[in-house]
Amino acid sequence: MASESAGGLKTLTAAIYPGTFDPITCGHIDIARRAAEIFDRLVVGVYDVPAKKLLFSTEERVQMAARALEDIGNVEVTSFGGLTVDFARKAGAKVIVRGLRALSDFEAEMQLAHFYRRMAPELDVVCLMSSLEYGFLSATMVKEIISLGGQSEGLVPDFVADAIRQEYARTKEASPRR
Ligand code: ADP
């Protein structure tokens, strides 16, 4: 979407889509795909050290996201640390994309958006509503379902499900229950 500024200069609209992506799910892919239709360039930012326990390393999360999104031409995947607004500025983005699943996401996203606005008034947040089939889907739930032997179809790409199974098998081997 090339937009015309007051001076007649054409600018490209870039956006970032930040998150933990531990691992990327079909819900994330759906949001990235739709955002890539709206913006000229979408940079998916994998947050390197979130304040939560992770199953995958930063490198693994970046690799899985990149593979899941490789067919979309205007999407890049990279890791980042520090403030999301600084990552957006470095990426040359004016927009931060987030996904909203349920009313329960709204409060946290609203709070985040206020903080972003306070730190970087030149940026704006665009929230895309989750598609109906992914409204219940979270990476945490997918990991739990797969670790218990449940079906992963329609939740994550097959290669991501395999990686989750392998990771759980590895950690089980490393610390067997007595
Ligand atoms: P967080 O930033 O809270 O760690 P995630 O990394 O899981 O969240 O996800 C990044 C973004 O994707 C967040 O805006 C989150 O609300 C959104 N998201 C996660 N799962 C879905 C889904 N199933 N449908 C739509 N949006 C989603």
Side-chain angles (χ1 to χ4, degrees), residues 17-21 27-28 31 52 98-99 101 109 130 134 137:
Y17 177 31
T20 307
F21 305 105
H28 294 132
I31 295 291
K52 50 184 173 186
R98 299 287 290 174
R101 279 159 293 192
E109 294 298 340
S130 123
Y134 305 127
L137 187 54

